[in-house]
Amino acid sequence: MKSPDLSSVYSPSHAIQNRAYVASLDEYLKIYSGAIEDPVQFWEKISKQFFWKRQPTGPFLNYNFDLQKGPIFIKWMEGGLTNICYNLVDRHVQDGYGDKIAYYWEGNEPNEQKQITYQALLKDICKCANVLKSLGIQKGDRVAIYMPTTIEAIVVMLSCARIGAIHMVVFAGFSADALTERMIDGKAKLLVTADGTFRGTKFVPLKSIATQALLQCKATGHPINHCIVFNRLQTTKQTEHIPDIPWDDAIDHSWDALMASASDLCEPEWVDAEDPLFILYTSGSTGKPKGILHTSGGYLIYAATLFKYAFDYHLEDIFFCSGDLGWITGHTFNVYGALACKSSSLIFDGIPTYPDGGRFWDLIDRYQVTTFYTAPTAIRTLMRLGSSYVTKHSRASLRILGSVGEPIDPSTWSWFYQVVGAKRCPIIDTFWQTETGAPIICPLPGATPLKPGSATLPFWGIVPTIVDDDGVEIIGEGQGHLVIKNPWPGIARTIDGDHQRFESTYFKPYNGYYYTGDAAKRDADGYFWIIGRTDDMLNSSGHLISTAEIESALMQHPSVAEAAAVSAPHAIKGESIHCFIVLKHQSVYNQIIETEIKSLIRNRLGAFAVPDLIYPLPALPKVGSGKIMRRLLKKIVRQEIHLGDTSTLVDENIIEQLRAFTLNKVKIF
Ligand code: WT7
């Protein structure tokens, strides 16, 4: 295929503009400047589209982004009473949309299918809310969810929201240790899981992992007394691959049994706009994950607005986001934003390559998907398999494509645009983070001319800019650290249980700004091009993992004395994980240690964090203070010739040793 012309700009087609809420760049710009001039008026008007039991009593927005003035805080619509579940479901049923499909679900196998209307969803949520209450869950309690992408997982999330409980979804690819750590940190009172699921032909033993985690919680003095188990495997045909599922009558409850006897009426709990809605863990620069906390009111209006405008969602659309519910993408676009807009969405508990590489395109045809949102790593995987998997399906229903999770390189963009979207569908490259709640930089389908590889322009009300290493703002064209000048309703409010860490991670690096941790370039048209993380964070297959988390897992191996993890570019995953280790005295590196280290990381963090390569070294490169010079290791694995300033290294001889190791590709045995 012809490589894309990087200077080319793709303007919205008439077909897209004809239906769009915002049909020109001028209109977008006009609304943008209005929202910047008066953010309160802008968001107040939007907030009126939702149900409030009581309107906000204090200032609509109250915040401090300046550490010199005092603690950081962000409050929107304080004093307002609402319930997000009521806004997402009850209201639509009352308005006559009870029979509209809220979700189509398809499992790993193409014949595993379910669907649910808004009316039925409401009943299930009420039942589940009553179940949670009967097990002692009240407003403010934390409920851990370790489930595959299913309608039932969404029911649990919304039933928490209905009674004011706080959900903490832990991605079902995490290990028992990772689940334990999050349940303890978040003080979970109850766990909801499933018996298991399949990824292609591979069985994922969710209940066994959950049981292990529950035992670990108990052993460390944090017992969790109830575990609800959804029978996900009831629809699979691969029954011969299912091992025994552990069961303990003292704490385990069957989902089916509890739901069967619960009442389908449950009054929503009216909560303050600033009451917590959920906690979602994300990697941090230390070994400890951060419990990002989002609140009810601000997150609701921000998620809803982004769903409506970024995807130009109309009632007849079928939205399909391939993201897992365990990540923020799943929360915001499969659940909160989608339901707020009365959407009909497809959710999928499977992988794009099973039963073959045409699965996504088959789903798109069968469910008549109009809006397809996925990650560059998935697109690259499918691109490698060849275009024929795509072209043998019609895809005629598609109108809009979306990308999230990492920068999309122009050739992947081009394949997505030309082959998947048949040059008809704009690609909405949405830049955001767990912390931002929803996209903050992204095009609008009918308004924004696209440049392949750029997330384009800020959403209404967002003022991003770039600063140099000293925090000096760069005006106009340039490259630097991406920061945001002002608050928006969907920004996280704190790190659960550690507000100081929230301040020092996001506000201290460049006082007065929210710091994203990403580098970005701004071009002459004001378009933003995200370059990637500048902190010690790896982005492998769209999963953000800190080097510290991998390193602390590596250090648990009895033979490892020191460890450093860095990323290297990878054709499919975006980045791969390369680890350098120094072995303890008298230990010898061999295949057994390598296998042990890999399985240790799999157990400690999950399969997605297993390193692609492990290099044993006699010593790590360090500066005088003892800090590992990861910047140097990164350049070495990228085979870069210019290593930058290495004068602060304690032992410069290490460079030649490093080169020798990496050039040998380190298959040393
Ligand atoms: C990091 C946040 C937002 C949902 C998924 C990830 C990277 C995200 C883009 C994009 C370039 C992107 C950034 C960001 N990222 N979207 N469109 N272009 N980079 O959420 O795990 O909190 O990761 O993902 O590096 O900081 P997350």
Side-chain angles (χ1 to χ4, degrees), residues 282 327-329 373 403-408 429-436 441 455 516-518 530-533 539 542-544:
T282 184
W327 304 113
I328 191 71
T329 321
Y373 188 45
S403 168
V404 61
E406 54 175 307
I408 177 164
D429 179 0
T430 56
F431 169 78
W432 56 303
Q433 309 178 299
T434 306
E435 297 86 343
T436 69
I441 301 178
T516 58
D518 284 290
I530 311 298
I531 294 164
R533 305 290 305 195
N539 191 334
H543 298 307
L544 214 54

Side-chain angles (χ1 to χ4, degrees), residues 356-646:
D356 65 33
R359 189 67 186 276
F360 278 167
W361 328 121
D362 169 49
L363 285 166
I364 287 167
D365 278 0
R366 279 194 284 119
Y367 293 92
Q368 291 292 292
V369 169
T370 58
T371 314
F372 175 52
Y373 188 45
T374 192
T377 180
I379 306 168
R380 286 192 297 263
T381 305
L382 298 170
M383 184 166 78
R384 285 249 158 151
L385 299 178
S387 303
S388 62
Y389 277 112
V390 185
T391 50
K392 74 175 169 226
H393 299 277
S394 141
R395 296 139 20 253
S397 56
L398 280 177
R399 299 177 57 86
I400 288 168
L401 298 172
S403 168
V404 61
E406 54 175 307
I408 177 164
D409 54 283
S411 50
T412 305
W413 193 100
S414 177
W415 185 80
F416 201 29
Y417 181 77
Q418 295 183 22
V419 178
V420 176
K423 302 185 192 169
R424 277 183 289 115
C425 312
I427 295 179
I428 306 304
D429 179 0
T430 56
F431 169 78
W432 56 303
Q433 309 178 299
T434 306
E435 297 86 343
T436 69
I440 53 175
I441 301 178
C442 66
L444 302 186
T448 319
L450 306 174
K451 300 186 187 186
S454 169
T456 76
L457 300 169
F459 189 68
W460 299 323
I462 308 280
V463 190
T465 190
I466 43 179
V467 294
D468 67 16
D469 287 343
D470 300 321
V472 177
E473 185 172 356
I474 297 164
I475 308 292
E477 266 181 274
Q479 183 172 323
H481 303 282
L482 180 66
V483 296
I484 317 292
K485 284 183 166 181
N486 59 331
W488 61 99
I491 187 176
R493 303 302 196 255
T494 192
I495 292 175
D496 182 47
D498 198 349
H499 193 64
Q500 227 175 347
R501 189 175 181 201
F502 181 69
E503 296 181 329
S504 62
T505 307
Y506 304 110
F507 295 92
K508 208 163 159 196
Y510 301 102
N511 188 43
Y513 301 105
Y514 167 81
Y515 172 53
T516 58
D518 284 290
K521 193 175 80 178
R522 182 168 45 206
D523 70 14
D525 297 326
Y527 274 46
F528 286 88
W529 301 72
I530 311 298
I531 294 164
R533 305 290 305 195
T534 54
D535 51 11
D536 293 335
M537 219 67 88
L538 311 169
N539 191 334
S540 186
S541 297
H543 298 307
L544 214 54
I545 318 160
S546 72
T547 54
E549 262 180 300
I550 299 170
E551 288 161 10
S552 72
L554 288 167
M555 295 295 290
Q556 287 178 357
H557 190 280
S559 300
V560 174
E562 287 185 281
V566 293
S567 66
H570 188 277
I572 305 266
K573 299 196 241 184
E575 290 185 344
S576 57
I577 303 170
H578 289 204
C579 296
F580 295 88
I581 53 168
V582 178
L583 291 176
K584 282 187 185 154
H585 191 52
Q586 287 178 339
S587 299
V588 181
Y589 195 70
N590 55 26
Q591 192 77 56
I592 300 172
I593 294 194
E594 176 163 315
T595 310
E596 283 172 0
I597 289 178
K598 288 189 171 173
S599 82
L600 191 118
I601 295 192
R602 192 173 294 113
N603 294 335
R604 182 78 198 93
L605 299 167
F608 61 87
V610 172
D612 295 79
L613 277 174
I614 302 173
Y615 305 130
L617 285 177
L620 294 179
K622 288 187 185 163
V623 296
S625 65
K627 203 169 170 333
I628 300 166
M629 205 189 248
R630 287 197 193 76
R631 166 173 67 79
L632 176 66
L633 293 174
K634 225 168 158 173
K635 289 190 185 226
I636 295 272
V637 299
R638 286 168 163 72
Q639 319 251 331
E640 287 181 26
I641 303 195
H642 302 292
L643 299 179
D645 179 13
T646 54

Side-chain angles (χ1 to χ4, degrees), residues 79-90:
L81 282 186
T82 189
N83 182 284
I84 201 164
C85 174
Y86 181 87
N87 272 290
L88 263 44
V89 191
D90 302 50

